[in-house]
């Protein structure tokens, strides 16, 4: 049987699964059944109805949530665009407040899952506007906390987290009713503060709330890896991420958690000086629209450590051109890494502009310190001096960031003799540590062999050596 709008009438089993799932999306009502979520995640939602009713809204809500919670994200954000235009339903609606709040909350959860928190935050605000009960409000606050946390809107995220947690305590719901969205949003806030202790606390909460749910357990492990990275326990973190990324558990995990774990894995490899492996890990990584996890930004951190500044700029130009389509949380470190690249390439004006833009964003979005995690301390200090001289109003924000830098900044790869190398020479120096001969290096760099020999002699002079063997020894020691 078909409806007047041409859509196929859902089966009785699908309607029953949707009704059961909808009733358990709010705390205090039990958890949706896994088999219902699986059924709903595989179902075709169909076109927008001619008129939105509570029944249709509840069915779509359950389907969106099922897809978000079972990582069925193949349709991307286009699925939401089928029913909404600029955050509004594209067809007339006769909806109760509960149905409308639930539908917007489901859209927000799905958007956050596919990696578009900028859009998800808008739907979460609409869900909060129409919430009529404590349960509806808690659900709306939870998806709002996640969207804002993922998009680095930390002051607003913190307010949503605090209100959601307070409401949870006041209503005395059981810990099994805790929202995964709220906890993950709280985790993003803890990362912004480099608070490894809080990350481990949140990981414990995830495990205790749903000890049998592999999706929740994977998220908990990802947060613990983040804590290990902040604590510089790199060996333990790498062992964990290797198991997470290559083990069977990854088949039942959230895409965001997998992508974040992959980014952490690459950063830890870079910290260990395993640059080529880090780039290889990232070579097949897909950056989805919204850029909640931005792999060009991740690659930029590794390329900086390798002295490949031109590639940093060239590979991130498309990202900075996205404007409001790029997640703020990953845009800020993108700007800081580009600033370092410009500085090393001798373009001081562009370097200062990029770092100033980054500091302004950090100041407005809650003063996160994570954009400086993969940048050598000396580069950041020099840029801060230049920005402070240009814009005195940013000096207080810069002073606060400086306090955390010694513990968070990446090690410098241009100390001693290496500091004297130009950006071109640093790129060539990296190739000298490979097995390539000088003719092969010349072809790779698209220059003549004589040019390479001249540059190599200059590098030898600055390193104080007379052979490639001794030069490689110094270059490799600088990364230990």
């Amino acid at each position: 049987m078909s409806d007047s709008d041409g859509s196929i009438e859902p089966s009785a089993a699908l309607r029953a699964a949707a009704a059961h799932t909808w009733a358990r999306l709010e705390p205090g009502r039990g958890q949706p059944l896994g088999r219902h979520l699986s059924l709903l995640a595989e179902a075709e939602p169909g076109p927008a109805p001619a008129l939105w009713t509570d029944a249709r809204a509840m069915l779509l809500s359950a389907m969106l949530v099922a897809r978000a919670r079972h990582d069925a994200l193949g349709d991307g954000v286009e699925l939401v665009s089928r029913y909404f235009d600029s955050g509004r339903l594209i067809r007339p609606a006769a909806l109760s407040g509960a149905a409308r709040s639930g539908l917007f909350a489901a859209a927000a959860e799905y958007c956050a899952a596919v990696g578009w928190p900028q859009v998800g935050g808008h739907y979460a605000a609409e869900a909060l506007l129409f919430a009529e009960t404590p349960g509806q409000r808690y659900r709306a606050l939870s998806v709002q906390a996640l969207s804002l946390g993922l998009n680095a809107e930390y002051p607003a995220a913190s307010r949503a987290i605090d209100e959601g947690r307070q409401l949870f305590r006041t209503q005395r719901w059981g810990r099994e009713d805790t929202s995964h969205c709220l906890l993950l949003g709280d985790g993003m806030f803890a990362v912004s503060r480099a608070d490894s202790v809080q990350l481990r606390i949140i990981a414990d909460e995830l495990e205790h709330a749903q000890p049998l749910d592999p999706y929740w357990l994977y998220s908990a492990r990802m947060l613990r890896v983040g804590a290990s990275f902040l604590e510089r326990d790199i060996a333990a973190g790498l062992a964990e991420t290797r198991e997470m990324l290559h083990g069977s558990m990854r088949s039942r995990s959230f895409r965001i958690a997998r992508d974040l774990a992959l980014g952490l894995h690459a950063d830890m490899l870079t910290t260990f000086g395993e640059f080529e492996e880090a780039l290889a890990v990232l070579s097949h990584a897909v950056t989805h629209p919204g850029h909640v996890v931005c792999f060009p930004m991740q690659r930029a951190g590794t390329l900086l450590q390798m002295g490949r500044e031109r590639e940093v700029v060239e590979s991130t130009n498309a990202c900075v051109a996205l404007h409001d389509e790029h997640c703020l949380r990953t845009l800020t470190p993108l700007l800081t890494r580009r600033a370092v690249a410009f500085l090393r390439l001798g373009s001081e004006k562009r370097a200062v502009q990029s770092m100033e833009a980054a500091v302004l964003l950090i100041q407005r979005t809650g003063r996160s310190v994570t954009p400086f995690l993969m940048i050598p301390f000396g580069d950041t200090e020099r840029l801060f001096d230049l920005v402070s001289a240009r814009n005195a109003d940013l000096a207080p924000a810069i002073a606060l960031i400086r306090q955390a830098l010694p513990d968070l900044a990446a090690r410098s790869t241009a100390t001693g003799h290496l500091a004297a190398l130009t950006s071109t020479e640093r790129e060539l120096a990296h190739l000298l540590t490979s097995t390539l001969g000088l003719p092969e290096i010349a072809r790779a760099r698209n220059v003549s062999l004589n040019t390479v020999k001249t540059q190599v002699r200059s590098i030898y002079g600055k390193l104080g050596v007379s052979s490639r063997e001794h030069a490689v020894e110094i270059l490799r020691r600088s990364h230990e």
Side-chain angles (χ1 to χ4, degrees), residues 163-329:
E163 184 179 347
R165 286 189 176 277
Q166 179 60 40
L167 184 60
F168 194 90
R169 289 190 294 268
T170 301
Q171 296 298 313
R172 298 183 178 180
W173 290 312
R175 67 182 180 185
E176 69 277 4
D177 293 315
T178 305
S179 168
H180 179 276
C181 291
L182 187 139
L183 292 180
L184 191 56
D186 202 356
M188 294 299 101
F189 182 70
V191 168
S192 76
R193 296 295 184 266
D195 190 343
S196 62
V197 173
Q198 181 63 14
L199 278 176
R200 296 189 184 279
I201 291 172
I202 296 168
D204 288 342
E205 288 185 89
L206 283 163
E207 287 190 348
H208 295 155
Q210 297 295 332
L212 301 179
D213 191 318
Y215 290 88
W216 288 56
L217 298 181
Y218 194 99
S219 296
R221 294 185 71 175
M222 181 273 295
L223 293 181
R224 287 202 178 93
V225 169
S228 295
F229 179 60
L230 292 171
E231 294 163 357
R232 289 300 190 257
D233 189 359
I234 306 301
L238 277 173
E240 187 79 359
T241 51
R242 283 195 171 99
E243 185 179 353
M244 292 174 67
L245 296 171
H246 301 291
S248 59
M249 70 186 75
R250 78 182 305 277
S251 64
R252 300 188 70 189
S253 60
F254 297 112
R255 188 170 77 188
I256 284 179
R258 290 195 305 276
D259 286 351
L260 289 170
L262 181 61
L264 283 166
H265 185 68
D267 282 348
M268 289 186 289
L269 286 171
T270 300
T271 301
F272 257 179
E274 299 290 345
F275 305 134
E276 296 293 351
E277 185 179 349
L279 291 180
V281 163
L282 295 171
S283 62
H284 299 296
V286 177
T287 298
H288 298 282
H291 287 244
V292 70
V293 179
C294 179
F295 291 113
M297 179 273 290
Q298 295 282 165
R299 290 184 76 253
T302 303
L303 292 171
L304 274 184
Q305 297 294 318
M306 299 172 74
R308 294 161 62 176
E309 288 83 11
R310 286 189 179 86
E311 287 184 59
V312 170
V313 175
E314 292 169 359
S315 64
T316 57
N317 281 334
C319 288
V320 294
L322 287 173
H323 301 297
D324 60 343
E325 297 177 17
H326 201 292
C327 175
L328 285 176
R329 188 180 60 83

